Coordinates of all heavy atoms in Angstrom, one line a residue:
L1 N -5.1 -17.8 3.0 CA -3.7 -17.5 2.5 C -2.7 -18.0 3.6 O -3.0 -17.8 4.8 CB -3.5 -16.0 2.3 CG -2.7 -15.7 1.0 CD1 -3.6 -15.2 -0.1 CD2 -1.6 -14.7 1.3
R2 N -1.6 -18.6 3.2 CA -0.6 -19.1 4.1 C -0.1 -18.0 5.0 O 0.2 -18.2 6.2 CB 0.5 -19.7 3.3 CG 1.3 -20.8 4.1 CD 2.4 -21.4 3.2 NE 3.5 -20.4 3.1 CZ 4.5 -20.3 4.0 NH1 4.5 -21.1 5.0 NH2 5.4 -19.5 3.9
L3 N 0.2 -16.8 4.5 CA 0.8 -15.7 5.3 C -0.1 -15.4 6.5 O 0.4 -15.2 7.6 CB 1.0 -14.5 4.4 CG 1.7 -13.4 5.1 CD1 3.1 -13.7 5.4 CD2 1.6 -12.1 4.3
D4 N -1.4 -15.3 6.2 CA -2.3 -14.9 7.3 C -2.2 -15.9 8.4 O -2.2 -15.6 9.6 CB -3.8 -14.9 6.8 CG -4.0 -13.7 5.9 OD1 -3.2 -12.8 6.0 OD2 -5.0 -13.7 5.2
A5 N -2.1 -17.2 8.1 CA -2.0 -18.3 9.1 C -0.7 -18.1 9.9 O -0.7 -18.2 11.1 CB -2.0 -19.6 8.4
D6 N 0.4 -17.7 9.2 CA 1.7 -17.5 9.8 C 1.6 -16.3 10.8 O 2.2 -16.4 11.9 CB 2.8 -17.3 8.8 CG 3.1 -18.5 8.0 OD1 2.8 -19.6 8.5 OD2 3.8 -18.5 7.0
V7 N 1.0 -15.3 10.4 CA 0.9 -14.1 11.2 C 0.1 -14.4 12.5 O 0.4 -14.0 13.6 CB 0.3 -12.9 10.5 CG1 -0.1 -11.8 11.4 CG2 1.2 -12.4 9.4
A8 N -1.0 -15.2 12.3 CA -1.8 -15.6 13.4 C -1.0 -16.5 14.3 O -1.1 -16.3 15.6 CB -3.0 -16.4 12.9
T9 N -0.2 -17.4 13.8 CA 0.7 -18.2 14.6 C 1.6 -17.3 15.4 O 1.9 -17.5 16.6 CB 1.5 -19.2 13.7 OG1 0.6 -19.9 12.9 CG2 2.2 -20.2 14.6
L10 N 2.2 -16.4 14.7 CA 3.2 -15.5 15.3 C 2.6 -14.8 16.5 O 3.2 -14.8 17.6 CB 3.7 -14.5 14.3 CG 4.9 -13.7 14.6 CD1 6.1 -14.6 14.7 CD2 5.1 -12.6 13.6
S11 N 1.4 -14.2 16.3 CA 0.8 -13.5 17.5 C 0.3 -14.4 18.5 O 0.1 -14.0 19.7 CB -0.3 -12.5 17.0 OG -1.1 -13.1 16.0
G12 N 0.0 -15.7 18.1 CA -0.3 -16.7 19.1 C 0.9 -17.1 20.0 O 0.8 -17.1 21.2
V13 N 2.0 -17.3 19.3 CA 3.2 -17.7 20.0 C 3.7 -16.6 20.9 O 4.1 -16.8 22.0 CB 4.3 -18.1 19.0 CG1 5.6 -18.4 19.7 CG2 3.9 -19.4 18.3
F14 N 3.6 -15.4 20.4 CA 4.1 -14.2 21.1 C 2.9 -13.4 21.7 O 2.7 -12.3 21.4 CB 4.9 -13.3 20.2 CG 6.2 -14.0 19.8 CD1 6.3 -14.7 18.6 CD2 7.4 -13.9 20.6 CE1 7.5 -15.3 18.2 CE2 8.5 -14.5 20.2 CZ 8.6 -15.2 19.0
D15 N 2.1 -14.2 22.5 CA 0.9 -13.6 22.9 C 1.1 -12.3 23.8 O 0.3 -11.4 23.7 CB 0.1 -14.6 23.8 CG -1.3 -14.2 24.1 OD1 -2.0 -13.7 23.1 OD2 -1.8 -14.3 25.2
E16 N 2.1 -12.3 24.6 CA 2.3 -11.2 25.5 C 2.7 -9.9 24.7 O 2.4 -8.8 25.1 CB 3.4 -11.5 26.5 CG 4.8 -11.4 26.1 CD 5.3 -12.7 25.5 OE1 4.5 -13.4 24.8 OE2 6.5 -13.0 25.7
I17 N 3.3 -10.2 23.5 CA 3.6 -9.0 22.6 C 2.3 -8.5 22.0 O 2.1 -7.3 22.0 CB 4.6 -9.4 21.5 CG1 5.9 -9.7 22.2 CG2 4.8 -8.3 20.5 CD1 7.0 -10.2 21.3
A18 N 1.4 -9.4 21.6 CA 0.1 -9.0 21.0 C -0.7 -8.3 22.1 O -1.3 -7.2 21.8 CB -0.6 -10.2 20.5
Q19 N -0.6 -8.8 23.3 CA -1.4 -8.1 24.4 C -0.8 -6.8 24.7 O -1.5 -5.8 24.9 CB -1.3 -9.0 25.7 CG -2.2 -10.3 25.5 CD -3.6 -10.0 25.2 OE1 -4.3 -9.2 25.9 NE2 -4.2 -10.6 24.2
G20 N 0.5 -6.7 24.8 CA 1.2 -5.4 25.2 C 1.0 -4.4 24.1 O 0.8 -3.2 24.4
A21 N 0.9 -4.9 22.8 CA 0.7 -3.9 21.7 C -0.5 -3.1 21.8 O -0.6 -2.0 21.3 CB 0.7 -4.7 20.4
L22 N -1.5 -3.7 22.6 CA -2.8 -3.0 22.8 C -2.6 -1.7 23.5 O -3.3 -0.7 23.5 CB -3.8 -3.8 23.5 CG -4.2 -5.1 22.8 CD1 -5.1 -6.0 23.7 CD2 -4.9 -4.9 21.5
H23 N -1.5 -1.6 24.3 CA -1.2 -0.5 25.2 C -0.2 0.5 24.6 O 0.2 1.4 25.3 CB -0.8 -1.0 26.6 CG -1.8 -1.9 27.2 ND1 -3.1 -1.4 27.7 CD2 -1.9 -3.2 27.4 CE1 -3.8 -2.5 28.1 NE2 -3.0 -3.6 27.9
C24 N 0.4 0.1 23.5 CA 1.3 1.0 22.8 C 0.6 2.3 22.5 O -0.6 2.4 22.2 CB 1.9 0.4 21.5 SG 3.0 -1.0 21.9
R25 N 1.4 3.4 22.5 CA 0.8 4.7 22.1 C 0.3 4.7 20.7 O -0.7 5.3 20.4 CB 1.8 5.8 22.4 CG 1.2 7.2 22.3 CD 2.2 8.3 22.4 NE 2.9 8.3 23.7 CZ 4.0 9.0 24.0 NH1 4.5 9.9 23.1 NH2 4.6 8.9 25.1
F26 N 1.1 4.1 19.8 CA 0.8 4.1 18.4 C 0.1 2.8 18.0 O 0.7 1.8 18.4 CB 2.0 4.4 17.5 CG 2.6 5.7 17.8 CD1 3.9 5.8 18.4 CD2 2.0 6.9 17.6 CE1 4.5 7.0 18.7 CE2 2.6 8.2 17.9 CZ 3.8 8.2 18.5
R27 N -0.9 2.9 17.2 CA -1.6 1.6 16.8 C -0.7 0.8 15.9 O -0.7 -0.4 15.9 CB -2.9 2.0 16.0 CG -4.0 2.4 16.9 CD -5.2 1.5 16.6 NE -6.3 1.8 17.5 CZ -7.5 1.9 17.1 NH1 -7.8 1.5 15.9 NH2 -8.5 2.2 17.9
D28 N 0.1 1.5 15.1 CA 1.0 0.8 14.1 C 2.4 0.6 14.7 O 3.3 0.5 14.0 CB 1.0 1.5 12.8 CG 1.5 2.9 12.9 OD1 1.6 3.4 14.0 OD2 1.8 3.5 11.9
C29 N 2.5 0.6 16.0 CA 3.8 0.5 16.7 C 4.5 -0.8 16.3 O 3.9 -1.9 16.2 CB 3.6 0.5 18.2 SG 5.1 0.5 19.1
R30 N 5.8 -0.7 15.9 CA 6.5 -1.9 15.6 C 7.4 -2.3 16.7 O 8.2 -3.2 16.6 CB 7.4 -1.6 14.3 CG 6.5 -1.3 13.1 CD 7.4 -0.8 12.0 NE 8.4 -1.7 11.6 CZ 8.2 -2.7 10.7 NH1 7.0 -2.8 10.2 NH2 9.1 -3.5 10.4
H31 N 7.3 -1.6 17.9 CA 8.0 -2.0 19.1 C 9.5 -2.0 18.8 O 10.3 -2.8 19.3 CB 7.6 -3.3 19.6 CG 6.2 -3.6 19.3 ND1 5.1 -2.8 19.7 CD2 5.6 -4.7 18.7 CE1 4.0 -3.3 19.3 NE2 4.2 -4.5 18.7
Q32 N 10.0 -1.0 18.1 CA 11.4 -0.9 17.8 C 11.9 0.5 18.2 O 12.7 1.1 17.4 CB 11.7 -1.1 16.3 CG 11.5 -2.6 15.9 CD 11.7 -2.9 14.5 OE1 11.3 -2.1 13.6 NE2 12.3 -4.0 14.2
G33 N 11.5 1.0 19.3 CA 12.0 2.3 19.8 C 11.1 3.4 19.7 O 11.4 4.6 20.0
E34 N 9.8 3.1 19.3 CA 8.8 4.2 19.3 C 8.5 4.7 20.7 O 8.6 3.9 21.6 CB 7.5 3.7 18.7 CG 7.6 3.5 17.2 CD 7.9 2.0 16.8 OE1 8.5 1.3 17.7 OE2 7.6 1.6 15.7
P35 N 8.3 6.0 20.9 CA 7.9 6.5 22.2 C 6.6 5.9 22.6 O 5.7 5.7 21.8 CB 7.9 8.0 22.0 CG 7.7 8.2 20.5 CD 8.3 7.1 19.8
G36 N 6.4 5.6 23.9 CA 5.2 5.1 24.4 C 4.9 3.7 24.1 O 3.8 3.2 24.1
C37 N 6.0 2.9 23.8 CA 5.8 1.5 23.4 C 5.6 0.7 24.7 O 6.5 0.6 25.5 CB 7.0 1.0 22.6 SG 6.9 -0.7 22.2
A38 N 4.5 0.0 24.8 CA 4.2 -0.8 26.0 C 4.9 -2.1 25.9 O 5.3 -2.7 27.0 CB 2.7 -1.0 26.2
V39 N 5.1 -2.6 24.7 CA 5.7 -3.9 24.6 C 7.2 -3.9 25.0 O 7.6 -4.8 25.8 CB 5.7 -4.4 23.1 CG1 6.5 -5.6 22.8 CG2 4.2 -4.6 22.7
R40 N 7.9 -2.9 24.7 CA 9.3 -2.8 25.1 C 9.5 -2.8 26.6 O 10.5 -3.2 27.2 CB 10.0 -1.7 24.4 CG 10.4 -1.9 23.0 CD 10.7 -0.7 22.2 NE 11.8 0.0 22.8 CZ 13.1 -0.2 22.5 NH1 13.4 -1.2 21.6 NH2 14.1 0.4 23.0
E41 N 8.4 -2.2 27.3 CA 8.5 -2.2 28.7 C 8.2 -3.5 29.4 O 8.7 -3.8 30.5 CB 7.5 -1.1 29.2 CG 8.0 0.3 29.1 CD 6.8 1.3 29.4 OE1 5.9 0.9 30.1 OE2 7.0 2.5 28.9
Q42 N 7.3 -4.3 28.7 CA 6.8 -5.5 29.3 C 7.5 -6.8 28.9 O 7.6 -7.8 29.7 CB 5.3 -5.7 29.0 CG 4.5 -4.6 29.6 CD 3.0 -4.7 29.1 OE1 2.6 -5.7 28.5 NE2 2.3 -3.6 29.3
V43 N 8.1 -6.8 27.7 CA 8.6 -8.0 27.2 C 10.2 -8.0 27.2 O 10.8 -7.0 27.0 CB 8.2 -8.2 25.7 CG1 8.7 -9.4 25.1 CG2 6.6 -8.2 25.6
A44 N 10.7 -9.2 27.5 CA 12.1 -9.4 27.6 C 12.8 -9.1 26.3 O 12.2 -9.5 25.2 CB 12.5 -10.8 28.1
P45 N 13.9 -8.4 26.3 CA 14.6 -7.9 25.0 C 14.8 -9.1 24.1 O 14.6 -8.9 22.9 CB 15.9 -7.3 25.5 CG 15.7 -6.9 26.9 CD 14.7 -7.9 27.5
E46 N 15.3 -10.2 24.6 CA 15.6 -11.3 23.6 C 14.4 -11.9 23.0 O 14.4 -12.4 21.9 CB 16.5 -12.4 24.3 CG 15.8 -13.3 25.2 CD 16.3 -13.1 26.6 OE1 16.4 -11.9 27.1 OE2 16.6 -14.1 27.3
R47 N 13.3 -11.9 23.8 CA 12.0 -12.4 23.3 C 11.5 -11.4 22.2 O 11.0 -11.9 21.1 CB 11.0 -12.4 24.4 CG 9.7 -13.0 24.1 CD 9.4 -14.3 24.9 NE 8.0 -14.7 24.7 CZ 7.6 -15.6 23.9 NH1 8.5 -16.4 23.2 NH2 6.4 -15.9 23.7
L48 N 11.7 -10.2 22.4 CA 11.3 -9.2 21.4 C 12.1 -9.3 20.1 O 11.7 -9.2 19.0 CB 11.4 -7.8 22.0 CG 10.7 -6.6 21.3 CD1 9.2 -6.9 21.2 CD2 10.9 -5.3 22.0
R49 N 13.4 -9.6 20.3 CA 14.3 -9.8 19.2 C 13.9 -11.0 18.4 O 13.8 -11.0 17.2 CB 15.8 -10.1 19.7 CG 16.7 -8.9 19.4 CD 18.2 -9.3 19.4 NE 18.6 -10.1 20.5 CZ 18.9 -9.7 21.7 NH1 18.9 -8.4 22.0 NH2 19.3 -10.5 22.7
N50 N 13.5 -12.1 19.1 CA 13.0 -13.3 18.4 C 11.7 -12.9 17.6 O 11.6 -13.4 16.4 CB 12.6 -14.4 19.4 CG 13.8 -15.2 19.8 OD1 14.8 -15.2 19.1 ND2 13.8 -15.9 20.9
F51 N 10.9 -12.2 18.2 CA 9.6 -11.8 17.5 C 9.9 -11.0 16.2 O 9.4 -11.3 15.2 CB 8.8 -10.9 18.5 CG 7.6 -10.3 17.8 CD1 6.4 -11.1 17.7 CD2 7.6 -9.0 17.4 CE1 5.3 -10.5 17.1 CE2 6.4 -8.4 16.8 CZ 5.3 -9.2 16.7
H52 N 10.9 -10.0 16.3 CA 11.2 -9.2 15.2 C 11.9 -10.1 14.1 O 11.7 -9.9 12.9 CB 12.2 -8.1 15.6 CG 11.5 -7.0 16.2 ND1 12.0 -6.3 17.3 CD2 10.3 -6.4 15.9 CE1 11.1 -5.4 17.7 NE2 10.1 -5.4 16.9
K53 N 12.7 -11.1 14.5 CA 13.3 -12.0 13.6 C 12.3 -12.7 12.8 O 12.3 -12.8 11.6 CB 14.3 -12.9 14.3 CG 15.1 -13.8 13.5 CD 16.3 -14.4 14.3 CE 16.9 -15.6 13.6 NZ 16.2 -16.9 13.9
M54 N 11.3 -13.3 13.5 CA 10.3 -14.1 12.9 C 9.4 -13.2 12.0 O 9.0 -13.6 10.9 CB 9.4 -14.8 13.9 CG 10.0 -16.1 14.4 SD 8.9 -16.9 15.6 CE 7.6 -17.5 14.5
A55 N 9.1 -12.0 12.4 CA 8.3 -11.1 11.6 C 9.1 -10.7 10.4 O 8.4 -10.6 9.3 CB 8.0 -9.8 12.4
R56 N 10.4 -10.5 10.5 CA 11.2 -10.2 9.3 C 11.1 -11.4 8.3 O 11.0 -11.1 7.1 CB 12.6 -9.9 9.6 CG 12.9 -8.4 9.8 CD 14.4 -8.2 9.7 NE 15.2 -9.0 10.6 CZ 15.5 -8.8 11.9 NH1 15.0 -7.7 12.4 NH2 16.2 -9.6 12.6
E57 N 11.2 -12.6 8.8 CA 11.2 -13.7 7.9 C 9.9 -13.9 7.2 O 9.8 -14.2 6.0 CB 11.6 -15.0 8.7 CG 13.0 -15.2 8.9 CD 13.4 -16.2 10.0 OE1 12.5 -17.0 10.3 OE2 14.5 -16.3 10.4
L58 N 8.8 -13.6 8.0 CA 7.5 -13.7 7.3 C 7.4 -12.6 6.2 O 6.8 -12.9 5.2 CB 6.4 -13.4 8.4 CG 6.1 -14.6 9.3 CD1 4.9 -14.1 10.2 CD2 5.6 -15.8 8.5
Q59 N 7.9 -11.5 6.5 CA 7.8 -10.4 5.6 C 8.6 -10.7 4.3 O 8.2 -10.4 3.2 CB 8.4 -9.1 6.2 CG 7.7 -7.9 5.7 CD 8.1 -6.6 6.5 OE1 9.2 -6.7 7.2 NE2 7.4 -5.6 6.5
R60 N 9.8 -11.3 4.5 CA 10.6 -11.7 3.4 C 9.8 -12.7 2.5 O 9.8 -12.6 1.3 CB 11.9 -12.3 3.9 CG 13.0 -12.1 2.9 CD 14.4 -12.3 3.5 NE 14.4 -13.5 4.3 CZ 15.1 -13.6 5.5 NH1 15.8 -12.5 5.9 NH2 15.0 -14.7 6.2
D61 N 9.2 -13.7 3.2 CA 8.4 -14.7 2.4 C 7.3 -14.0 1.6 O 7.1 -14.3 0.5 CB 7.8 -15.7 3.4 CG 8.7 -16.7 3.9 OD1 9.9 -16.7 3.4 OD2 8.4 -17.5 4.7
A62 N 6.6 -13.1 2.3 CA 5.5 -12.4 1.6 C 6.1 -11.6 0.5 O 5.5 -11.5 -0.6 CB 4.8 -11.5 2.6
M63 N 7.2 -10.9 0.7 CA 7.8 -10.1 -0.4 C 8.2 -10.9 -1.6 O 7.8 -10.6 -2.7 CB 9.1 -9.4 0.1 CG 8.8 -8.2 1.0 SD 7.9 -6.9 0.1 CE 9.3 -6.3 -1.0
S64 N 8.8 -12.1 -1.4 CA 9.2 -12.9 -2.5 C 8.0 -13.5 -3.2 O 8.0 -13.6 -4.4 CB 10.2 -13.9 -2.1 OG 9.7 -14.7 -1.1
A65 N 7.0 -13.8 -2.5 CA 5.8 -14.3 -3.1 C 5.2 -13.2 -4.0 O 4.8 -13.4 -5.1 CB 4.8 -14.7 -2.1
L66 N 5.2 -12.0 -3.5 CA 4.7 -10.9 -4.2 C 5.5 -10.6 -5.5 O 5.0 -10.3 -6.6 CB 4.7 -9.6 -3.3 CG 3.6 -8.6 -3.6 CD1 2.3 -9.0 -3.2 CD2 4.0 -7.3 -2.9
Q67 N 6.8 -10.6 -5.3 CA 7.7 -10.4 -6.4 C 7.6 -11.4 -7.5 O 7.6 -11.1 -8.7 CB 9.2 -10.3 -5.9 CG 9.5 -9.0 -5.4 CD 10.8 -9.1 -4.5 OE1 11.4 -10.1 -4.3 NE2 11.2 -7.9 -4.0
R68 N 7.4 -12.7 -7.1 CA 7.2 -13.7 -8.1 C 5.9 -13.4 -8.9 O 5.9 -13.6 -10.1 CB 7.1 -15.1 -7.4 CG 8.4 -15.7 -7.2 CD 8.3 -17.2 -6.9 NE 7.4 -17.5 -5.7 CZ 7.9 -17.5 -4.5 NH1 9.2 -17.3 -4.2 NH2 7.1 -17.8 -3.5
K69 N 4.9 -13.0 -8.2 CA 3.6 -12.7 -8.8 C 3.8 -11.5 -9.8 O 3.3 -11.6 -10.9 CB 2.6 -12.3 -7.8 CG 1.1 -12.5 -8.2 CD 0.2 -12.2 -7.1 CE -1.1 -11.6 -7.6 NZ -1.9 -11.0 -6.5
E70 N 4.5 -10.5 -9.4 CA 4.7 -9.3 -10.2 C 5.5 -9.7 -11.5 O 5.2 -9.3 -12.6 CB 5.4 -8.2 -9.5 CG 4.5 -7.4 -8.7 CD 5.2 -6.4 -7.9 OE1 6.4 -6.2 -8.0 OE2 4.5 -5.7 -7.0
Q71 N 6.5 -10.6 -11.3 CA 7.3 -11.0 -12.4 C 6.4 -11.7 -13.4 O 6.6 -11.5 -14.6 CB 8.4 -11.9 -12.0 CG 9.7 -11.2 -11.7 CD 10.7 -12.0 -11.0 OE1 10.5 -13.2 -10.8 NE2 11.8 -11.4 -10.6
R72 N 5.6 -12.6 -12.9 CA 4.7 -13.3 -13.8 C 3.8 -12.4 -14.6 O 3.6 -12.5 -15.8 CB 3.8 -14.3 -13.0 CG 4.3 -15.7 -13.0 CD 3.2 -16.7 -12.7 NE 2.4 -16.4 -11.5 CZ 2.8 -16.7 -10.3 NH1 3.9 -17.4 -10.1 NH2 2.1 -16.4 -9.3
Q73 N 3.3 -11.3 -13.9 CA 2.4 -10.4 -14.6 C 3.2 -9.6 -15.6 O 2.7 -9.3 -16.7 CB 1.8 -9.4 -13.6 CG 0.5 -10.0 -13.0 CD 0.0 -9.4 -11.8 OE1 0.7 -8.5 -11.2 NE2 -1.1 -9.8 -11.2
Q74 N 4.4 -9.2 -15.3 CA 5.3 -8.4 -16.2 C 5.5 -9.3 -17.5 O 5.4 -8.8 -18.6 CB 6.6 -8.1 -15.6 CG 6.6 -6.8 -14.8 CD 7.8 -6.5 -14.1 OE1 8.8 -7.2 -14.3 NE2 7.9 -5.5 -13.2
W75 N 5.8 -10.5 -17.3 CA 6.1 -11.4 -18.4 C 4.9 -11.5 -19.3 O 5.0 -11.4 -20.5 CB 6.5 -12.8 -17.9 CG 7.0 -13.7 -19.0 CD1 8.3 -13.7 -19.5 CD2 6.2 -14.6 -19.7 NE1 8.3 -14.6 -20.5 CE2 7.1 -15.2 -20.6 CE3 4.9 -15.0 -19.7 CZ2 6.7 -16.2 -21.5 CZ3 4.5 -16.0 -20.6 CH2 5.3 -16.6 -21.5
K76 N 3.7 -11.7 -18.7 CA 2.5 -11.8 -19.4 C 2.2 -10.5 -20.2 O 1.9 -10.6 -21.4 CB 1.3 -12.0 -18.4 CG 0.9 -13.4 -18.3 CD -0.4 -13.5 -17.6 CE -0.4 -14.7 -16.6 NZ -1.5 -14.6 -15.6
S77 N 2.4 -9.3 -19.6 CA 2.1 -8.1 -20.4 C 3.1 -7.9 -21.5 O 2.8 -7.4 -22.6 CB 2.0 -6.9 -19.4 OG 3.2 -6.7 -18.8
R78 N 4.4 -8.3 -21.3 CA 5.4 -8.2 -22.3 C 5.0 -9.1 -23.5 O 5.1 -8.7 -24.7 CB 6.7 -8.6 -21.8 CG 7.9 -7.8 -22.4 CD 9.2 -8.2 -21.7 NE 9.2 -7.8 -20.3 CZ 9.9 -8.5 -19.4 NH1 10.7 -9.5 -19.8 NH2 9.9 -8.2 -18.2
H79 N 4.5 -10.3 -23.2 CA 4.1 -11.3 -24.2 C 3.0 -10.7 -25.0 O 3.0 -10.7 -26.2 CB 3.6 -12.5 -23.4 CG 3.6 -13.7 -24.3 ND1 4.7 -14.3 -24.8 CD2 2.5 -14.5 -24.7 CE1 4.3 -15.4 -25.5 NE2 3.0 -15.5 -25.5
R80 N 2.0 -10.1 -24.3 CA 0.9 -9.5 -25.0 C 1.3 -8.3 -25.9 O 0.9 -8.2 -27.0 CB -0.1 -8.9 -24.0 CG -1.2 -9.9 -23.7 CD -2.4 -9.2 -23.1 NE -2.1 -8.5 -21.8 CZ -2.2 -9.1 -20.6 NH1 -2.5 -10.3 -20.5 NH2 -1.9 -8.4 -19.6
A81 N 2.3 -7.5 -25.4 CA 2.8 -6.4 -26.2 C 3.4 -6.9 -27.5 O 3.2 -6.3 -28.6 CB 3.8 -5.6 -25.4
V82 N 4.2 -8.0 -27.4 CA 4.8 -8.5 -28.6 C 3.8 -9.0 -29.6 O 3.9 -8.6 -30.8 CB 5.7 -9.7 -28.2 CG1 6.2 -10.5 -29.5 CG2 7.0 -9.2 -27.5
H83 N 2.8 -9.6 -29.2 CA 1.7 -10.0 -30.1 C 1.0 -8.9 -30.7 O 0.7 -8.9 -31.9 CB 0.7 -10.9 -29.3 CG 1.1 -12.3 -29.2 ND1 0.8 -13.2 -30.2 CD2 1.7 -13.0 -28.3 CE1 1.3 -14.4 -29.9 NE2 1.9 -14.3 -28.7
A84 N 0.8 -7.8 -29.9 CA 0.1 -6.6 -30.5 C 1.0 -6.0 -31.6 O 0.5 -5.6 -32.6 CB -0.1 -5.6 -29.4
R85 N 2.3 -6.0 -31.4 CA 3.2 -5.4 -32.4 C 3.1 -6.3 -33.7 O 3.1 -5.7 -34.8 CB 4.6 -5.4 -31.8 CG 5.3 -4.1 -32.0 CD 6.7 -3.9 -31.5 NE 7.4 -5.0 -31.1 CZ 7.8 -5.2 -29.8 NH1 7.5 -4.3 -28.9 NH2 8.5 -6.2 -29.4
D86 N 3.1 -7.6 -33.5 CA 3.0 -8.5 -34.7 C 1.8 -8.1 -35.5 O 1.8 -8.0 -36.7 CB 3.0 -9.9 -34.2 CG 4.4 -10.4 -33.9 OD1 5.3 -9.7 -34.1 OD2 4.5 -11.5 -33.3
R87 N 0.7 -7.9 -34.8 CA -0.6 -7.6 -35.5 C -0.5 -6.3 -36.3 O -0.8 -6.2 -37.4 CB -1.7 -7.5 -34.5 CG -2.6 -8.8 -34.4 CD -3.9 -8.5 -33.8 NE -3.9 -7.7 -32.6 CZ -3.7 -8.3 -31.4 NH1 -3.5 -9.6 -31.3 NH2 -3.7 -7.5 -30.3
D88 N 0.2 -5.3 -35.6 CA 0.3 -4.0 -36.3 C 1.1 -4.1 -37.6 O 0.8 -3.6 -38.6 CB 1.0 -3.0 -35.3 CG 0.1 -2.6 -34.2 OD1 -1.1 -2.9 -34.4 OD2 0.6 -2.0 -33.3
K89 N 2.3 -4.9 -37.5 CA 3.1 -5.1 -38.6 C 2.4 -5.7 -39.8 O 2.4 -5.2 -40.9 CB 4.3 -6.0 -38.2 CG 5.6 -5.3 -38.1 CD 6.8 -6.3 -37.9 CE 7.0 -6.4 -36.4 NZ 8.0 -7.4 -36.0
R90 N 1.6 -6.7 -39.4 CA 0.8 -7.4 -40.5 C -0.2 -6.4 -41.1 O -0.4 -6.4 -42.3 CB 0.1 -8.6 -39.9 CG 0.7 -9.9 -40.3 CD 0.0 -11.1 -39.7 NE 0.8 -11.5 -38.5 CZ 0.2 -11.8 -37.3 NH1 -1.0 -11.6 -37.1 NH2 1.0 -12.2 -36.4
G91 N -0.7 -5.5 -40.3 CA -1.7 -4.5 -40.8 C -1.1 -3.5 -41.8 O -1.7 -3.1 -42.7
D92 N 0.2 -3.2 -41.5 CA 0.9 -2.2 -42.3 C 1.4 -2.8 -43.7 O 1.8 -2.1 -44.6 CB 2.2 -1.6 -41.6 CG 1.7 -0.7 -40.4 OD1 0.5 -0.3 -40.5 OD2 2.5 -0.5 -39.5
G93 N 1.4 -4.1 -43.7 CA 2.0 -4.8 -44.9 C 1.3 -4.4 -46.2 O 0.2 -3.8 -46.2
P94 N 2.0 -4.7 -47.3 CA 1.5 -4.3 -48.7 C 0.3 -5.1 -49.1 O 0.0 -6.2 -48.6 CB 2.7 -4.7 -49.6 CG 3.5 -5.6 -48.8 CD 3.3 -5.4 -47.4
Ligands
ZN101 ZN1 5.1 -1.0 20.8

């Protein structure tokens, strides 16, 4: 999946953040003010800002891909529902 590759690239480019994250108190630390965050202690603030910006963009890409998929599924199930109603109508006919 493209997103996985992007995330791998992100943690490759921001290697010191990935390394620092190992020492954060929380495993799911987002390095945005959590107590015991090792990344915020080690990484320059503007670098961390860049990291968050890229992470947000990746997330937005993933979200819109997911939303597109959900929309397709919704449309499909609506389509199916209409067909089912047509069948019922025909069954009730004289
Ligand atoms: Zn952290």
